Every structure is written in C-alpha cells, then in structure tokens.
Amino acid sequence: MSFMEQFTDLMPVNVIVNILDVLFVWFVIYKVITLIKGTKAVQLLKGIFVIVIARVITDFFGLNTLDWLLDRVIEFGFLAIIIIFQPEIRRALEQIGRGKLFSRSTLQVEEEQGRLITAMTKSISYMAKRRIGALISIERETGLTDYIETGIPLNSYITSELLINIFIPNTPLHDGAVIIKKDTIASAASYLPLSESPFISKELGTRHRAAIGLSEVTDAITIVVSEETGAISLTSNGDLRRDLSIEEFESHLTRLWFPTEEQVTSSKWLWRGKQNG
C-alpha cells in the first residue's frame, strides 16, 4: 500500500466511518442479546462459548481426536441450531419485518412497569377487602440495603399471589415489611425505623409509624394496609396519604414509582428541600 493510500485511510471521514461501523455492530449484538434474554437461547450462547474455548484449547495442545470431534459438532451444529430454535428465529425475523426490533427494549420496559403496577394493585385490593395488614416499601434512589438485611432475603419475582401469601396472618413472614428493589421482592419480615414525630395521629398503628419513619430518612415509597379497617395508605418523602380508594392508590403509585422526567426533576427538588429543611 502506498503512502498516499495509507494517508487516505487515516482521513477523518474514514476514521468516523470505521467508528460508526464498530458501534453499529455492537448495537446489533446488544439488541440480539436483549431479544433472546429470558429464553432458552441464552443457554445456547453459553454452550457455543464453551465449544469455542474447547476448540482453542485443543488447537493449542494438539489434541487431535478431540479436535476432530469438535469439528464435527461445529459442522452440524448450525443446522441443529436452526431446527431447535426455529420459533425464536421466526419471531426475530417477524419483529425485523414489523420494524419492532429496535423499539423492543422500550416496549419491554413499559410492559414490565404495567405488570408491576397491576400485581401491586391486585394484591393491595385483595388484602384491603379482607383486612389483611400489609407493609410494603419500594426502593427508589436511596438504597434500603440496611433495612433489607434485617429481614428474610427472598429475591423473588413480583406477583400478586406471592405478596398476598406473605401477609396472610400467622405465617412466618407476615410480621414486618416487604422491601421491593427494582423488579424483585428483596426481603420480607424486615424492620423499618419508627417515626418519633409528635404530630402523628394517635389512631395510627405501628405499620403507619414505620412507613412514615422510613419516608423521613429515605425517598422510598411505602404502602400500608390497615388490618383494623382495611384502609389503604401511601407514604413518600414524609407525606402520608390515607384512606385511598383502589383507583387513587393505583394512580399515586404509578406517578411515584414510574414518574415522567418532569416529575423526577420535581421530586428531586422536593426531596432535597425536605433534607435541608
């Protein structure tokens, strides 16, 4: 290659094109991983990785028999992959045809948020109607690790059925709080700090004091169901909303748990004001 050709290859335009090329490849790989996340294809990728590592090792040490076997596996493996994972491949091609491949992650987030709100609303509605006492805290920006460690670790998928079963009276986990971290139930039977505020109504019990106490020191959302009346309450940033209808509860929870960008900015200023105040 001549000096002029080498110089041309280093021109800014070519450098930018090469960078974009690499970024695009990584983006496609990321989207493919996002697409197969949670499916059996993830195990396939692990298997392929093991075979590739084994192939490198056999070449390095000169293991001819094993090398021959791995060559046969690789040779017929791609055909087997197409047959075994035909449904996943078809779904991916359908999404590409519909133009949904690159918008999938956003849709997944919205669907997951909707599922979490539905699961929480369903469980709270069930417990409120039957006057089953409940205390549920949802972590936001301020970590709740210190409080999670006081309870029984679960790290479980959030479902309404599991939340209801945790708070059924006389079960091992019904005392204390459930703490939710991201999209999992991190712990049950956790202890929360009780508020010492003299302005709290005398008719409020330990669950409400714990909910207010946590909201005074963190930005967590805490849900309370009274076992005496079945009333639903919600605390956040030191504020207590009592006697909510299930529709009001769902609306407030959605706004607090999954706020818009404007609401996030507003809540940050409010939280800083509460801390400084």
Side-chain angles (χ1 to χ4, degrees), residues 135 137 192-195 205-215 222 235:
L135 181 62
S137 293
L192 303 183
L194 297 180
S195 174
T206 305
R207 285 192 180 91
H208 287 85
R209 283 189 170 272
I212 296 171
L214 186 65
S215 73
T222 303
T235 66

Side-chain angles (χ1 to χ4, degrees), residues 2 222 233 255:
S2 67
T222 303
S233 301
R255 180 175 58 81

Side-chain angles (χ1 to χ4, degrees), residues 270-277:
L270 177 61
W271 174 236
R272 287 171 183 169
K274 294 265 185 187
Q275 285 183 312
N276 296 334

Side-chain angles (χ1 to χ4, degrees), residues 21-22 34 41-42 47 55 78 91 103 117 154 162 190 194 207 214 217 220 222 224-226 256 275:
D21 186 23
V22 173
T34 303
V42 175
R55 185 71 173 77
F78 289 104
R91 185 169 64 249
S103 60
I117 293 294
L154 295 181
L162 179 56
S190 294
L194 297 180
R207 285 192 180 91
L214 186 65
V217 295
T222 303
V224 182
V225 178
S226 170
L256 291 170
Q275 285 183 312

